[in-house]
Amino acid sequence: MSASAALDLADAAARARAVAALSRPPVGAELTVFIYRGLGDGDFMVRNAVIDRVSTWPRSDELLDALGHSARDGQVVRRASALSALGRLGQSATSVLAGLLGEPHAGLRRLAVDTLGTIPCEESNHLVQGALADPSAVVRAAAAEALGTLQGKGAAEAIANRLPQERSPSVILASLLALNDLGATVPSSTLRRFIPDPLAGGPALELAARSGDVELLVDGLRSATGTRLRHAMAGLAAAWPRMTPIQRTLVRGVDVADDRIDRVLLSAPEQPVLGALLLAGATGRVAWFRRVAERPDRAQLLPAAHTAVAHIDDPAVSREFARLSKDASGPAAAFLLELSTALLQRGTADRTEPRTASFPKPTFERLADVLAARAGLAIDPRTADRLESRLLPRLRQVRVANITEYVDLITSGSPAGEKELARALNRITVHETYFYREKQQLDAFKNYVLDHLFSLSSGNWIKVLSAGCATGEEVYSLAILLKDAGVQRFSVIGVDVASETVDVARAGRYGRRGLRGEMPRPLRDRYLSRDEESPDVFTVSDEIREHCSFEVGNLADPAFVATLPRVHAVFCRNMMIYLHADARRAVVDGLFGQLWPGGALFLGHSESLLHVDTPFRFTTIGRDFVYLRPFEDGTVPALGGPR
């Protein structure tokens, strides 16, 4: 079948299969037409099939010109697909992307920068550094972010040199985050003006610590809260091994109240938690370790806790640690007992340094490739030691000698390998969630969007998707919200790539930590029942569970997404930050396709679609925001005032 005939088929699935079966590229004008039509196809499975096929064809000038032509097109979907294909072609596409950097449309230049950021080579690094001088702040911010990803020669210097004269808040923030990613050293004189800023202050504090300015870090620690404190703790973790005894004494003198540190201990990722636990060990605040032990993802944080314990040199702290582990119960007790045992075995005088990674580079790359392909995850090579630490319990469980043998197993394609790969994903992925998380956003959904969805469904069934649902608290929170709002006919579908967390979600049983959000007490009392034998365990009522269902799947996989029902709203919060660029685009494309026209997409407050070329329209609602799928005529729904 010819390329044009493949795209003429009426059925989208048939078109996708026919495109995938093409053995050789068309030539001449037929190639240009095929790429133009295929990348603008109305079905995302067809577009992905075209991208996959194009990425296997010879990198001819004719092919590159055709992709460049489609990238300049005004249709958003075609432009995004062309840039995705260029990213898949790698270094050979940099000449086309260099041409796009000269286009007058800032949005297209930004997308070209984003794509260059996925192609690690010297030419990409050079082109993106040049984009730091772009007249558009959006492009400059994208350039800083891309340089942080590329890790190329001279990137840190290029960003740092422009930082003093930069005035755009978004570019300043992106630059400071990138400099942290690059492990750069920046003069304190440059950083001081950013410390008071509510957005840039946190990354500036982290960078100050990484740059060795402990006094500036200590000043910030005395008053930092929330995100700023999280960044400061991440900087402390990076700086601690290089600190002098005098500098550590300065840090020990900082009084960080328990209520300020709680958010870091209970919800922050590994690096800030490591900083907090280092401070806990140095100041004798052993109770902070217990707070981390109560987290459902405690196993993922165990390597950080071991690192912190390795720096405890006060016998009194060690004795307190032993008492704490004896007083605890359940999984938290096992976590603390392991740390206490490590202290006893090492002895408080033994200042053992943290274990270094034994992850061979080819093995890490194979693991990163399979995680990217199966879950869309972007794995930073600098986290190899943490990744290995998370997988070590599985090595012992399946009785393999080293990480290479383990990766051999999970990439083998055998039934046992596939089963173990699912378990590895459970160890690696982040499962942080709780009832009524980010309540401000849930209130905005209820007050500004729900009436619109009711009219959109013509008073019939309202369907909501929780993408990356983890252990299910978000799914049940949405169901409770809809039930409390008087909606009778609705369903909430939760999807996650990690099968073990979905099993927890289906069980609907949670400890107190899952209830630490701002869930109204009357709703908790009505829809959650306390276990008679275990008072700290709560079970979701059948009245709510009958509206909820769960699926295991990869939302970056178009074939899986196509099996889901169309929905009126999607909550995809704090998931895409862990995905690589192609996976993010696939997820956004898939969610757009599953939403009814006029439907709403909610992201986490740390996420945006700024670097994704998408038809979604950004709309503010009260003090929050939502992305809306336009109607077929291109208009977006006018959301009314609060209920």
Side-chain angles (χ1 to χ4, degrees):
M1 182 181 294
S2 69
S4 60
L7 295 179
D8 286 337
L9 296 172
D11 181 67
R15 291 200 302 279
R17 289 193 297 270
V19 167
L22 293 174
S23 58
R24 61 172 69 91
V27 296
E30 188 181 354
L31 174 64
T32 302
V33 172
F34 168 76
I35 288 177
Y36 187 81
R37 287 183 60 198
L39 295 180
D41 192 279
D43 190 277
F44 69 94
M45 285 192 299
V46 178
R47 297 195 298 273
N48 284 342
V50 173
I51 292 170
D52 288 342
R53 181 50 56 209
V54 164
S55 67
T56 67
W57 288 344
R59 273 67 163 162
S60 65
D61 291 342
E62 193 175 41
L63 175 65
L64 293 171
D65 288 345
L67 289 171
H69 175 71
S70 289
R72 291 175 171 86
D73 189 74
Q75 185 192 14
V76 171
V77 167
R78 179 177 290 113
R79 187 168 63 220
S81 299
L83 284 157
S84 181
L86 287 167
R88 293 276 290 275
L89 293 181
Q91 188 171 353
S92 59
T94 54
S95 59
V96 177
L97 294 166
L100 297 179
L101 290 177
E103 290 292 315
H105 189 271
L108 181 55
R109 299 200 303 275
R110 186 207 79 206
L111 291 169
V113 168
D114 288 341
T115 306
L116 285 165
T118 68
I119 305 173
C121 67
E122 186 176 343
E123 189 171 359
S124 290
N125 183 45
H126 173 73
L127 289 169
V128 176
Q129 285 188 33
L132 288 172
D134 193 277
S136 168
V138 171
V139 178
R140 297 198 302 278
E145 183 178 335
L147 288 172
T149 302
L150 289 171
Q151 303 278 312
K153 183 179 179 181
E157 292 81 358
I159 297 172
N161 288 340
R162 291 200 59 86
L163 192 55
Q165 63 260 34
E166 184 58 63
R167 291 295 177 267
S168 167
S170 62
V171 181
I172 291 170
L173 179 60
S175 298
L176 292 171
L177 291 171
L179 288 168
N180 274 304
D181 289 341
L182 291 164
T185 299
V186 178
S188 300
S189 57
T190 300
L191 296 174
R192 285 188 183 278
R193 79 175 175 98
F194 304 122
I195 298 295
D197 186 271
L199 285 176
L205 272 177
E206 182 176 349
L207 196 54
R210 292 177 183 275
S211 301
D213 192 335
V214 177
E215 291 186 10
L216 190 56
L217 171 66
V218 166
D219 287 343
L221 283 174
R222 291 194 176 102
S223 59
T225 59
T227 302
R228 289 163 61 88
L229 185 59
R230 181 181 295 198
H231 278 287
M233 287 301 169
L236 177 61
W240 189 269
R242 303 189 302 274
M243 284 187 187
T244 66
I246 293 176
Q247 288 175 327
R248 289 184 181 179
T249 300
L250 281 174
V251 173
R252 288 188 183 99
V254 178
D255 182 18
V256 179
D258 290 350
D259 60 343
R260 281 205 289 141
I261 200 66
D262 233 24
R263 188 173 172 187
V264 174
L265 297 172
L266 293 176
S267 62
E270 189 169 356
Q271 190 74 357
V273 169
L274 172 56
L277 293 182
L278 284 166
L279 184 59
T283 57
R285 298 189 176 188
V286 181
W288 291 7
F289 283 87
R290 180 165 186 167
R291 298 295 276 161
V292 174
E294 293 168 350
R295 289 175 56 156
D297 59 344
R298 66 183 70 82
Q300 298 176 13
L301 298 168
L302 190 58
H306 270 295
T307 300
V309 162
H311 288 278
I312 293 177
D313 56 4
D314 185 343
V317 175
S318 299
R319 290 192 294 271
E320 179 62 26
F321 213 106
R323 283 195 293 271
L324 185 71
S325 63
K326 291 177 182 177
D327 292 340
S329 60
F335 179 96
L336 293 168
L337 181 61
E338 181 170 338
L339 297 177
S340 180
T341 303
L343 265 174
L344 289 171
Q345 290 175 343
R346 175 174 59 81
T348 56
D350 177 15
R351 299 299 302 277
T352 304
E353 288 301 312
R355 177 182 58 83
T356 57
S358 56
F359 223 140
K361 185 177 179 181
T363 301
F364 176 84
E365 290 174 347
R366 281 195 298 136
L367 179 59
D369 287 345
V370 74
L371 294 176
R374 297 298 290 273
L377 296 176
I379 306 298
D380 189 334
R382 292 170 298 173
T383 65
D385 55 342
R386 277 181 269 167
L387 185 61
E388 184 182 12
S389 295
R390 291 179 183 178
L391 294 175
L392 279 176
R394 294 305 311 161
L395 270 68
R396 292 191 287 268
Q397 193 71 28
V398 299
R399 299 181 180 179
V400 297
N402 52 53
I403 190 69
T404 298
E405 289 186 13
Y406 184 75
V407 173
D408 288 343
L409 171 64
I410 65 175
T411 57
S412 65
S414 66
E418 290 296 300
K419 192 172 182 179
E420 187 56 36
L421 176 57
R423 292 190 176 116
L425 282 170
N426 284 307
R427 299 285 305 181
I428 292 166
T429 50
V430 177
H431 313 309
E432 170 62 21
T433 184
Y434 47 87
F435 280 90
Y436 273 67
R437 186 180 187 184
E438 296 180 1
K439 183 175 180 293
Q440 174 182 310
Q441 192 174 60
L442 296 178
D443 289 341
F445 168 66
K446 177 180 178 180
N447 295 331
Y448 291 88
V449 180
L450 190 52
D451 284 343
H452 160 66
L453 297 185
F454 194 75
S455 63
L456 191 66
S457 66
S458 301
N460 294 320
W461 213 281
I462 290 179
K463 294 182 179 180
V464 181
L465 173 65
S466 170
C469 68
T471 45
E473 288 93 324
E474 179 176 87
V475 172
Y476 294 124
S477 295
L478 290 167
I480 289 170
L481 182 151
L482 291 166
K483 191 77 170 177
D484 181 58
V487 182
Q488 297 301 316
R489 296 167 57 81
F490 68 90
S491 58
V492 185
I493 308 143
V495 174
D496 200 276
V497 74
S499 58
E500 290 180 11
T501 63
V502 171
D503 289 342
V504 173
R506 287 174 175 149
R509 288 167 58 82
Y510 301 97
R512 282 191 176 276
R513 191 171 180 278
L515 299 172
R516 68 185 186 277
E518 300 178 63
M519 183 179 187
R521 183 60 182 265
L523 296 183
R524 192 186 84 175
D525 292 344
R526 179 174 179 181
Y527 297 116
L528 300 179
S529 60
R530 192 189 297 267
D531 195 300
E532 292 183 2
E533 296 183 359
S534 303
D536 287 340
V537 176
F538 296 80
T539 302
V540 180
S541 71
D542 290 342
E543 184 181 3
I544 294 300
R545 294 176 66 179
E546 68 181 6
H547 293 280
C548 303
S549 62
F550 297 91
E551 300 287 343
V552 178
N554 177 13
L555 288 163
D557 178 5
F560 168 73
V561 174
T563 67
L564 298 173
R566 297 194 77 176
V567 297
H568 301 94
V570 174
F571 282 75
C572 183
R573 304 193 291 180
N574 307 304
M575 183 189 83
M576 287 195 283
I577 54 177
Y578 300 105
L579 306 181
H580 59 73
D582 283 347
R584 285 198 299 271
R585 287 176 182 148
V587 168
V588 172
D589 206 0
L591 295 180
F592 185 88
Q594 294 308 116
L595 272 171
W596 288 105
L601 168 65
F602 288 87
L603 301 181
H605 287 150
S606 61
E607 300 172 304
S608 77
L609 299 184
L610 177 65
H611 300 301
V612 181
D613 199 9
T614 172
F616 276 113
R617 303 282 185 84
F618 177 88
T619 304
T620 57
I621 46 173
R623 298 173 58 194
D624 223 287
F625 65 90
V626 65
Y627 289 90
L628 299 174
R629 172 172 175 164
F631 292 117
E632 298 298 343
D633 62 2
T635 62
V636 294
L639 302 178
R643 277 180 157 217

